[in-house]
Each structure stands twice: as C-alpha cells, then as structure tokens.
Amino acid sequence: MAKKRSANKTFTPLGQVLGGLLDECRSRNSGGMFHVAQAWKKAIGAPISENTKPYALKGSLLLVFVSSSVWLHQLQFLRNELIECLNRELKDGQITDIKFKIGPV
C-alpha cells in the first residue's frame, strides 16, 4: 500500500517557483530571452517597445518582431542606436545585430 503524503501547511508562491525554473533554464547570456525582453522594454522606451517584441536570441543576434512594415522600416535606421542602448542595459550580454521581422507583438 502506498504511503500517504503528509499535508504541507505552507504554500510556495507561484512567482518563486517560476523564478526558480527560469534560473534553471537560463542560458549563459544572463537569463536568455527573459532577461533580454526585460532589458529591451527598459532600454528602448514606450513608443518602440509597444510596437515590438524581442522573440529569439541566437548567439549575439536578436530577432525582434514588429507590428507593421512602417515600424520595420523605421527601426532599420535606428538599429545601431538600439543595439547600443540595449547593450548598456544588459551590461554583460552583448548584442551585435538585430533582425526585424513583422510578427505578433
């Protein structure tokens, strides 16, 4: 007969559990996409971050989804400045290029 588990009278907050899972799954670049997405919002600012979404990271190349072709075209001109701002926020993670693609934001 299987042993009955003793009742756990304390609960672990979901945020703590998810934080632990994220820590286990993070890549060498200090948190992978989770960290990059947070840094993107902070470094880039509201108008751009509302129309973009960092989607994938492959080495030092960041794929960012944009809401429209107009945003894609404009961000092409701002690429170097965005890379500079993002790298300042990441501190230890270096993004060398950004590819923009129309996709879900």
Side-chain angles (χ1 to χ4, degrees):
M1 186 169 207
K3 275 186 161 181
K4 187 175 182 180
R5 259 179 39 185
S6 61
N8 185 357
K9 302 224 189 271
T10 61
F11 293 97
T12 304
L14 184 58
Q16 185 178 350
V17 172
L18 292 175
L21 288 173
L22 286 172
D23 286 340
E24 288 180 32
C25 297
R26 287 185 173 153
S27 66
R28 289 185 315 241
N29 63 352
S30 298
M33 279 308 301
F34 180 75
H35 184 67
V36 171
Q38 287 182 327
W40 178 264
K41 285 182 182 180
K42 193 172 180 181
I44 304 307
I48 295 175
S49 67
E50 291 169 359
N51 289 282
T52 59
K53 179 182 178 182
Y55 180 72
L57 185 62
K58 184 175 184 181
S60 61
L61 172 67
L62 177 63
L63 173 63
V64 176
F65 282 161
V66 297
S67 60
S68 69
S69 60
V70 174
W71 274 104
L72 187 143
H73 186 70
Q74 180 63 34
L75 293 174
Q76 296 289 357
F77 292 110
L78 297 173
R79 174 183 281 135
N80 291 335
E81 186 179 337
L82 295 173
I83 291 170
E84 192 176 299
C85 290
L86 185 57
N87 281 333
R88 267 196 307 264
E89 187 63 36
L90 290 173
K91 295 175 180 117
D92 58 349
Q94 293 298 312
I95 303 298
T96 59
D97 197 12
I98 300 175
K99 180 179 179 182
F100 299 104
K101 184 177 180 180
I102 297 173
V105 175

